[in-house]
Amino acid sequence: MEIVMIGTGNVASVLGRKFKAAGHHILQVAGRNSSEASALAYEWNTVSTNYLSAINGTADVYIIAISDDAIASVAEQLRLPGRVIAHTAASVPAGVLKNVSKHYGVFYPLQSLRKEMADLPEIPVFFTGSDERTDNLLANLARSISGKHAVHAGDDVRMRLHVAAVFASNFTNHLYALAEDYCNKEGLEFKELFPLIEETANRIKTISPQNAQTGPAIRHDDATIKKHLELLSGHPHLKKIYEVLTESIRQMK
Amino acid sequence: MEIVMIGTGNVASVLGRKFKAAGHHILQVAGRNSSEASALAYEWNTVSTNYLSAINGTADVYIIAISDDAIASVAEQLRLPGRVIAHTAASVPAGVLKNVSKHYGVFYPLQSLRKEMADLPEIPVFFTGSDERTDNLLANLARSISGKHAVHAGDDVRMRLHVAAVFASNFTNHLYALAEDYCNKEGLEFKELFPLIEETANRIKTISPQNAQTGPAIRHDDATIKKHLELLSGHPHLKKIYEVLTESIRQMK
């Protein structure tokens, strides 16, 4: 397919590379930041523009990969009648694009994407379109980069998936960050926890996390919990999180 | 080395396999549970006993891999003068073994171990001994199964590492469990989150989690946070955790 990418951030950068790797042609990349747009255009062997008014009107599909709160204002300035257009945001309804074209939708990558990634990760894509043509085109585009992890999902499902993703990724990363912070303050090597973190994450593929729970909270090891809270007495913030999550594990049982 | 394994649970099972894989000989396995002890003895091509009084007194090292609160009572019943003995517990001081032998210590595997594991994971080992002979022997044993991830660490450091491990593993697993629970209740496929979870865990090897934080909390995306809290209105427990961790991410910045 011929694709116009609107946006130059993390999602645009990685999706663009995935599209290229799948054999699509990126006709143009549009972004406010000239140097980022030029860099992506160079990487993708295409052209860039800083003006929405200069967007090529002949592409098969337009992907808007910009921050959530910028989508509405970009949509106001875009008119691409007859073209298929989709944004990549979890929490913005598809309808925000309805005045750009009647063929609008969402192309949501359920993955944490960063420009700097050396390897392209697996990216499940949840798509929805305003009509059959849009649905089919976005389905084909999604399948081309994620195979069977291309799933049709409306606004409601997508937003709920995002809630689950916040728990499974944003919040877990925060716990890694808290552990790292504690290690730094206590003179411990955070990297010694890497094998444990890897094992904990990999295990869920073979055993439900609800059945894989280990640690002092699930085995009601009050002596260890008490010791840990003492060790955290100089870290009131960590202590509070420890108490909340320990209680949460106990309630789950 | 010739090793006697005391205990038949997850830690004993996986450490024993690591010892075997490193070329050590397990002289005997001792455990209260006859069928588990027999099964491990069969797996390791050795003998088992259910009696502490029947433990072979000629091994190079005795590993006590049993639950924290059972260690003191086993120690009371064991006398192995002149032998090196170590337990595997993070939060139990080495000194609990001081009446068993003057060569006592700790051999703590910083990993989440389960009998059912198909593959043996990397296991950093933190060891400490009551004297040079014990230190050296435990160092050699640790290096034989974990190479450079064999680290000398006293009770204080080990207990602090365990606190960090609770955040990085037990609590993250609980977040996976909460996400899974939410998916099940909302009719979503938890497994669609696997690539995201994997990426989040793998990324910490190349970028500090404090710098890798993404999501609505870190970018102060109040509109999305508000939507998520509305979506969680039927899940008061998840809502509370969402609020606490969102606030925690904001404070970390």
Side-chain angles (χ1 to χ4, degrees):
Chain A
M1 291 185 207
E2 299 211 308
I3 301 169
V4 167
M5 180 68 76
I6 300 165
T8 59
N10 288 315
V11 174
S13 300
V14 182
L15 277 187
R17 286 158 67 190
K18 276 275 190 183
F19 291 147
K20 291 285 286 181
H24 300 297
H25 177 51
I26 297 178
L27 207 57
Q28 189 183 37
V29 50
R32 277 181 308 191
N33 184 315
S34 297
S35 64
E36 286 182 358
S38 303
L40 287 183
Y42 179 79
E43 180 186 331
W44 298 337
N45 193 24
T46 187
V47 293
S48 66
T49 178
N50 304 131
Y51 302 98
L52 291 172
S53 55
I55 281 182
N56 185 316
T58 68
D60 296 310
V61 57
Y62 296 75
I63 300 292
I64 304 189
I66 60 180
S67 64
D68 290 19
D69 52 10
I71 296 173
S73 88
V74 164
E76 264 177 41
Q77 300 166 62
L78 271 182
R79 290 296 174 274
L80 293 161
R83 301 288 146 186
V84 170
I85 183 158
H87 72 66
T88 59
S91 297
V92 177
V96 69
L97 300 177
K98 67 176 187 292
N99 292 329
V100 180
S101 164
K102 65 181 176 182
H103 307 296
Y104 63 88
V106 178
F107 190 89
Y108 169 54
L110 181 56
Q111 182 53 282
S112 186
L113 304 176
R114 296 181 69 90
K115 274 182 190 240
E116 316 86 74
M117 303 182 136
D119 301 312
L120 292 176
E122 197 179 330
I123 307 180
V125 173
F126 294 81
F127 63 90
T128 185
S130 58
D131 56 12
E132 200 179 339
R133 179 184 149 198
T134 312
D135 257 353
N136 286 342
L137 187 144
L138 294 177
N140 287 335
L141 186 62
R143 278 185 212 117
S144 73
I145 65 166
S146 47
K148 63 182 174 171
H149 294 292
V151 182
H152 189 275
D155 288 348
D156 276 3
V157 166
R158 188 177 69 255
M159 287 184 197
R160 283 171 168 75
L161 276 166
H162 190 218
V163 171
V166 167
F167 278 88
S169 173
N170 301 153
F171 290 167
T172 57
N173 183 76
H174 180 56
L175 292 178
Y176 301 153
L178 292 176
E180 182 186 38
D181 186 48
Y182 178 76
C183 285
N184 291 344
K185 286 175 178 157
E186 296 285 346
L188 308 170
E189 290 275 7
F190 177 59
K191 71 174 173 0
E192 294 292 359
L193 295 168
F194 289 179
L196 175 63
I197 287 171
E198 188 176 354
E199 172 64 24
T200 306
N202 284 342
R203 171 176 301 166
I204 58 166
K205 291 176 200 159
T206 50
I207 178 171
S208 155
Q210 299 184 51
N211 296 328
Q213 189 65 50
T214 56
I218 195 75
R219 60 173 192 266
H220 295 274
D221 178 352
D222 293 332
T224 297
I225 291 169
K226 187 160 169 278
K227 266 183 215 165
H228 286 179
L229 292 175
E230 283 162 17
L231 288 171
L232 290 171
S233 61
H235 308 267
H237 182 71
L238 286 172
K239 189 170 177 223
K240 189 196 159 192
I241 301 291
Y242 189 102
E243 288 172 327
V244 168
L245 292 175
T246 293
E247 182 56 31
S248 181
I249 291 170
R250 284 178 159 169
Q251 283 183 27
M252 193 126 184
K253 217 184 173 177
Chain B
M1 293 184 204
E2 300 210 308
I3 301 168
V4 168
M5 180 66 76
I6 301 166
T8 59
N10 288 315
V11 174
S13 300
V14 182
L15 277 187
R17 285 158 67 191
K18 276 275 190 184
F19 291 147
K20 290 285 287 183
H24 301 295
H25 177 51
I26 296 177
L27 207 58
Q28 189 183 37
V29 50
R32 280 179 307 191
N33 184 314
S34 297
S35 62
E36 285 181 359
S38 304
L40 286 183
Y42 180 79
E43 179 185 330
W44 299 336
N45 194 22
T46 187
V47 294
S48 66
T49 177
N50 304 130
Y51 302 99
L52 290 171
S53 56
I55 280 182
N56 185 315
T58 67
D60 297 308
V61 56
Y62 296 75
I63 300 293
I64 306 189
I66 60 179
S67 64
D68 289 18
D69 52 9
I71 295 173
S73 90
V74 164
E76 263 177 40
Q77 301 167 63
L78 271 182
R79 290 295 174 272
L80 293 161
R83 299 288 147 185
V84 171
I85 182 158
H87 71 67
T88 58
S91 297
V92 177
V96 70
L97 300 176
K98 68 178 188 290
N99 292 330
V100 181
S101 164
K102 64 181 177 182
H103 307 297
Y104 62 88
V106 179
F107 190 90
Y108 168 55
L110 180 57
Q111 184 50 286
S112 186
L113 305 175
R114 297 181 70 91
K115 274 183 191 240
E116 315 86 74
M117 301 182 138
D119 302 311
L120 292 176
E122 197 180 331
I123 306 181
V125 173
F126 293 82
F127 63 91
T128 184
S130 58
D131 56 10
E132 200 179 338
R133 179 184 149 198
T134 313
D135 257 353
N136 287 342
L137 187 143
L138 294 177
N140 287 335
L141 187 62
R143 278 185 211 116
S144 74
I145 65 166
S146 45
K148 63 184 174 168
H149 293 292
V151 181
H152 188 275
D155 287 348
D156 275 2
V157 166
R158 189 178 68 255
M159 287 184 197
R160 284 172 167 75
L161 276 167
H162 190 217
V163 172
V166 168
F167 278 88
S169 173
N170 300 154
F171 289 167
T172 56
N173 184 77
H174 180 56
L175 291 179
Y176 301 152
L178 292 176
E180 183 186 37
D181 187 48
Y182 177 76
C183 286
N184 291 345
K185 286 176 179 158
E186 296 285 343
L188 308 170
E189 290 276 8
F190 176 60
K191 72 173 173 0
E192 294 291 0
L193 294 169
F194 289 179
L196 175 64
I197 287 171
E198 188 176 355
E199 171 64 24
T200 306
N202 284 341
R203 171 175 302 166
I204 58 167
K205 290 176 200 157
T206 51
I207 177 170
S208 155
Q210 298 184 51
N211 295 329
Q213 189 65 51
T214 56
I218 195 75
R219 60 173 191 265
H220 295 276
D221 179 352
D222 294 332
T224 298
I225 292 168
K226 188 162 169 274
K227 267 182 215 164
H228 286 180
L229 292 174
E230 282 163 18
L231 288 170
L232 290 170
S233 61
H235 308 268
H237 182 71
L238 286 173
K239 190 170 176 224
K240 190 196 159 193
I241 302 291
Y242 188 102
E243 287 171 328
V244 168
L245 292 176
T246 292
E247 183 55 31
S248 180
I249 290 171
R250 285 177 158 170
Q251 283 182 26
M252 192 126 184
K253 217 182 175 179

